[in-house]
Amino acid sequence: QVQLVESGGGLVQAGGSLRLSCAASGRTFSYYTMGWFRQAPGKEREFVSVISWSGGTRDYADSVKGRFTISRDYAKNTVYLQMNSLKPEDTAVYFCAARKGYSDNAASYDYWGQGTQVTVSS
């Protein structure tokens, strides 16, 4: 089992920044691909970003490319999502997730955090 706890969400004005954190415990963090997903009210959960177990491969949704950066700290068993130039359409609950093997498909992830709310005001 892997337990995931997100933090760092909040209310920010358009153009601002937030850094989300996802602390992992349980099975060895370094074995897992880590993903960030988000879900806005009335919408499906969507892919935001993913980082491989080694940190050597990262991908982003087109909508966040150039604005968001994913990273991981093995010493702290934590994955981060740095979000810059935030837009109102980034408003959503953000979830981190873990799985073995690389994927941007939310349905394939085995472990999920509880989510953290990000609200961007215009």
Side-chain angles (χ1 to χ4, degrees), residues 2-21:
V2 176
Q3 292 80 41
L4 303 172
V5 179
E6 302 98 333
S7 61
L11 174 64
V12 64
Q13 288 189 333
S17 297
L18 283 172
R19 188 177 78 157
L20 305 183
S21 300

Side-chain angles (χ1 to χ4, degrees), residues 19-60:
R19 188 177 78 157
L20 305 183
S21 300
C22 174
S25 61
R27 292 185 180 268
T28 307
F29 172 71
S30 59
Y31 292 169
Y32 288 84
T33 289
M34 300 297 296
W36 283 99
F37 299 84
R38 67 187 182 187
Q39 188 166 19
K43 294 189 175 181
E44 296 286 320
R45 190 169 298 190
E46 66 174 1
F47 165 73
V48 175
S49 184
V50 58
I51 186 166
S52 63
W53 67 271
S54 68
T57 304
R58 312 175 195 202
D59 282 302
Y60 300 91

Side-chain angles (χ1 to χ4, degrees), residues 73-85:
D73 184 329
Y74 295 94
K76 295 182 178 179
N77 282 2
T78 299
V79 63
Y80 303 99
L81 186 69
Q82 178 67 44
M83 306 187 296
N84 298 329
S85 302

